[in-house]
Amino acid sequence: MDKILEVLRLAWENLVDLSIFFFIALAIAATVDLLYLDIVARRSFRKHGLLGVLFTTCLGAFSPFCSFTVIPLIRKLLRGGVPLSAVMSFWIASPAMDPPIFALTAKEIGLPLATARLLGALVLAIGAGVIILLVEKRGGFKDVLRPEKKPAVDERERHAAPAQVAVAAGGGSAVLTEEPTPTGGPVPEDDDDDGAPWWPQAKASLKSKRNWRITGRNFLRDTVSLGKWLVFACVFEGVIRVYVPNGIITSILGGDKGWLAIPLAAVISIPLYLNGVGAIPIVGGLLAKGMAEGAAVTFLLAGSVTTIPAMVAVRSVVNNKVFALYIAFGMLGSILLGFLAQLLL
């Protein structure tokens, strides 16, 4: 009974900490929806593919979101037609690194490993974005979202959002009409944008009580649909911390494993729901017991991307192909970077 209460206590503490960023992500997603910022992002990233990857990588590296709390924003961007290459870069970079994580990593386990973690996160995110960008230029990844079971009648995702703005003759106010997308996923490039100015649409949307109501309903729906996975993630972490002794992790990733510790670090990071900060003391303890530095880099990178709760949330958003790519980038990329770090550190 005492252990169950300890699990619940840890789950509650984690839920309180993560909820702040979870609702920030939901609020940003609602703002994107209300102001049609997805139109701006879609136009910009399709026009400047590589620059878009670099920009979203840097944006993710400076954002405070973990692998789970970033999900609401990711889903909104993908549904708004923002290319997967830019979204994936942000998706990977965001949980892997931010300024507080870098500072704490440098303080706890040293500047060389903190720098390796930072560079590894940037390489992992940019590499994933560039690979996907090359496929996109060949016509791939037109449909990346998991199909909806039924039409999302409350969604304001548009086939041709600029065309929905009708300005009355004589300078009257703009009026928005709703045209929901039957299933999730980016809309085709040839009919989703007529190039009309964005700001008149945004102003019209702000004046529309109907759009405010729709945005509010979407906010509440996303809170419920994604919030249940956040609760699961927090309870899961509590169970791991209470029922899995640290000695098991130490024995698997100890210094006697040599180079084998690097792929093992990627595998063992999967069940551990650790945010960027929570992994630092564990790695510090493992390094003190002789774990290879390359394995530490792999553990820090893979652990932020491929945890089971985060993967469950990712799977609820994207289709099988994108989900497999996400796991491959997180696992294989972190292992390769771990081997590289082991050679250089």
Side-chain angles (χ1 to χ4, degrees), residues 105 107-110 113 246-247 249-255 274 277-292 296 299-300:
T105 305
K107 179 182 178 181
E108 296 294 329
I109 59 179
L113 275 177
N246 288 335
I249 301 175
T250 303
S251 64
I252 295 176
L253 299 180
L274 297 171
V277 175
I280 296 173
I282 293 179
V283 170
L286 291 170
L287 287 170
K289 295 181 179 296
M291 182 178 70
F299 186 86
L300 291 169

XYZ file of all heavy atoms in Angstrom, residues 105 107-110 113 246-247 249-255 274 277-292 296 299-300:
235
model
N 22.930 20.095 -17.132
C 23.805 19.005 -17.578
C 25.271 19.363 -17.367
O 26.070 18.535 -16.898
C 23.559 18.694 -19.070
O 22.175 18.415 -19.275
C 24.382 17.484 -19.514
N 26.481 21.423 -15.185
C 26.760 21.488 -13.745
C 26.894 20.096 -13.141
O 27.782 19.850 -12.312
C 25.644 22.257 -13.039
C 25.838 22.341 -11.531
C 24.670 23.073 -10.881
C 24.837 23.107 -9.361
N 23.692 23.792 -8.703
N 26.021 19.175 -13.532
C 25.964 17.865 -12.893
C 26.963 16.860 -13.465
O 27.555 16.080 -12.712
C 24.540 17.294 -13.010
C 23.489 18.090 -12.275
C 23.677 18.053 -10.763
O 24.177 17.037 -10.255
O 23.314 19.048 -10.102
N 27.132 16.850 -14.790
C 27.992 15.815 -15.386
C 29.091 16.396 -16.262
O 29.769 15.646 -16.968
C 27.157 14.790 -16.187
C 26.384 15.467 -17.306
C 26.208 14.049 -15.273
C 25.568 14.491 -18.149
N 29.263 17.710 -16.267
C 30.410 18.305 -16.946
C 30.077 18.965 -18.273
O 29.142 18.553 -18.977
N 30.184 16.709 -21.745
C 28.991 15.911 -22.019
C 27.782 16.794 -22.321
O 26.936 16.442 -23.156
C 28.688 14.995 -20.831
C 29.429 13.660 -20.814
C 29.113 12.878 -19.551
C 29.069 12.829 -22.045
N 17.369 1.126 -8.917
C 18.445 1.735 -9.704
C 19.566 0.754 -9.992
O 20.290 0.884 -10.975
C 19.000 2.960 -8.969
C 18.030 4.124 -8.984
O 17.187 4.232 -9.867
N 18.134 4.982 -7.989
N 19.717 -0.235 -9.136
C 20.796 -1.201 -9.323
C 20.670 -1.979 -10.618
O 21.671 -2.397 -11.214
N 19.475 -0.819 -13.529
C 19.982 0.045 -14.597
C 21.503 0.109 -14.542
O 22.184 0.044 -15.565
C 19.380 1.455 -14.476
C 17.854 1.374 -14.566
C 19.924 2.371 -15.565
C 17.161 2.697 -14.350
N 22.040 0.236 -13.331
C 23.491 0.320 -13.169
C 24.172 -0.949 -13.667
O 25.210 -0.897 -14.337
C 23.842 0.557 -11.692
O 23.194 1.745 -11.240
C 25.342 0.694 -11.508
N 23.588 -2.096 -13.360
C 24.201 -3.357 -13.777
C 24.183 -3.528 -15.292
O 25.100 -4.126 -15.862
C 23.474 -4.532 -13.109
O 22.121 -4.592 -13.547
N 23.139 -3.002 -15.944
C 23.031 -3.143 -17.396
C 23.958 -2.184 -18.118
O 24.570 -2.523 -19.136
C 21.577 -2.911 -17.848
C 20.676 -3.998 -17.278
C 21.475 -2.876 -19.372
C 19.204 -3.806 -17.597
N 24.103 -0.969 -17.588
C 24.867 0.068 -18.276
C 26.210 0.344 -17.623
O 26.821 1.377 -17.881
C 24.054 1.370 -18.338
C 22.723 1.292 -19.078
C 22.021 2.636 -19.064
C 22.926 0.837 -20.511
N 26.677 -0.545 -16.787
C 27.944 -0.333 -16.099
C 29.136 -0.308 -17.040
O 29.057 -0.674 -18.212
N 30.269 0.123 -16.507
C 31.460 0.310 -17.330
C 32.020 -0.971 -17.920
O 32.779 -0.935 -18.886
N 11.524 9.884 -18.735
C 12.372 10.885 -18.098
C 12.409 12.129 -18.964
O 12.746 12.066 -20.143
C 13.801 10.342 -17.931
C 13.956 9.120 -17.023
C 15.369 8.579 -17.127
C 13.634 9.480 -15.585
N 15.465 17.009 -17.743
C 16.110 17.257 -16.456
C 16.200 15.982 -15.629
O 17.212 15.699 -14.992
C 15.352 18.355 -15.679
C 15.943 18.538 -14.284
C 15.394 19.676 -16.445
N 15.131 15.177 -15.650
C 15.083 13.989 -14.812
C 16.139 12.954 -15.140
O 16.515 12.160 -14.268
N 16.629 12.943 -16.378
C 17.636 11.957 -16.762
C 19.029 12.308 -16.243
O 19.890 11.433 -16.145
C 17.673 11.829 -18.280
N 19.256 13.571 -15.901
C 20.610 14.021 -15.553
C 21.161 13.320 -14.314
O 22.284 12.791 -14.347
C 20.644 15.552 -15.387
C 20.319 16.216 -16.730
C 22.021 16.015 -14.896
C 20.156 17.720 -16.647
N 20.441 13.283 -13.172
C 21.018 12.612 -12.001
C 21.240 11.126 -12.210
O 22.197 10.551 -11.652
C 19.981 12.879 -10.896
C 18.727 13.242 -11.605
C 19.142 13.913 -12.860
N 20.369 10.473 -12.990
C 20.570 9.047 -13.266
C 21.868 8.834 -14.037
O 22.671 7.954 -13.715
C 19.372 8.486 -14.051
C 18.126 8.482 -13.184
C 19.673 7.078 -14.559
C 16.890 7.958 -13.881
N 22.086 9.661 -15.050
C 23.316 9.544 -15.837
C 24.535 9.872 -14.978
O 25.578 9.215 -15.099
C 23.249 10.475 -17.071
C 24.607 10.547 -17.767
C 22.198 9.972 -18.046
N 24.394 10.871 -14.107
C 25.505 11.198 -13.214
C 25.900 10.019 -12.345
O 27.094 9.726 -12.169
N 24.906 9.314 -11.802
C 25.196 8.133 -10.990
C 25.811 7.008 -11.798
O 26.715 6.313 -11.323
N 25.343 6.821 -13.024
C 25.894 5.773 -13.877
C 27.334 6.078 -14.281
O 28.176 5.172 -14.341
C 25.024 5.610 -15.124
C 23.625 5.010 -14.898
C 22.786 5.131 -16.154
C 23.731 3.552 -14.465
N 27.627 7.343 -14.575
C 28.998 7.716 -14.917
C 29.938 7.468 -13.747
O 31.092 7.045 -13.926
C 29.046 9.186 -15.336
C 28.452 9.517 -16.712
C 28.337 11.022 -16.887
C 29.317 8.934 -17.830
N 29.445 7.742 -12.538
C 30.269 7.504 -11.344
C 30.575 6.025 -11.170
O 31.577 5.663 -10.532
C 29.552 8.042 -10.107
N 29.737 5.167 -11.719
C 29.951 3.719 -11.620
C 30.643 3.159 -12.863
O 30.690 1.949 -13.054
C 28.613 3.013 -11.393
C 27.976 3.370 -10.047
C 26.680 2.632 -9.857
C 26.057 2.979 -8.501
N 26.897 2.539 -7.366
N 31.128 4.059 -13.724
C 31.957 3.614 -14.837
C 31.279 3.495 -16.178
O 31.864 2.916 -17.104
N 30.066 4.020 -16.338
C 29.408 3.932 -17.641
C 30.172 4.744 -18.681
O 30.691 5.823 -18.387
C 27.973 4.447 -17.555
C 27.218 4.332 -18.885
S 25.494 4.875 -18.803
C 25.706 6.637 -18.600
N 30.251 4.230 -19.896
C 30.948 4.919 -20.978
C 30.263 6.240 -21.288
O 29.040 6.370 -21.233
C 30.985 4.031 -22.224
N 26.291 7.464 -22.182
C 25.579 8.547 -21.496
C 24.907 9.473 -22.507
O 23.751 9.880 -22.332
C 26.554 9.337 -20.623
N 21.916 7.647 -23.979
C 20.836 7.569 -22.994
C 20.090 8.896 -22.896
O 18.851 8.935 -22.840
C 21.412 7.184 -21.637
C 20.368 6.932 -20.579
C 19.787 5.683 -20.447
C 19.978 7.937 -19.715
C 18.830 5.440 -19.474
C 19.019 7.707 -18.736
C 18.448 6.453 -18.614
N 20.823 10.005 -22.898
C 20.206 11.321 -22.781
C 19.397 11.688 -24.018
O 18.319 12.294 -23.916
C 21.281 12.380 -22.533
C 21.971 12.334 -21.167
C 23.182 13.252 -21.150
C 20.999 12.732 -20.063
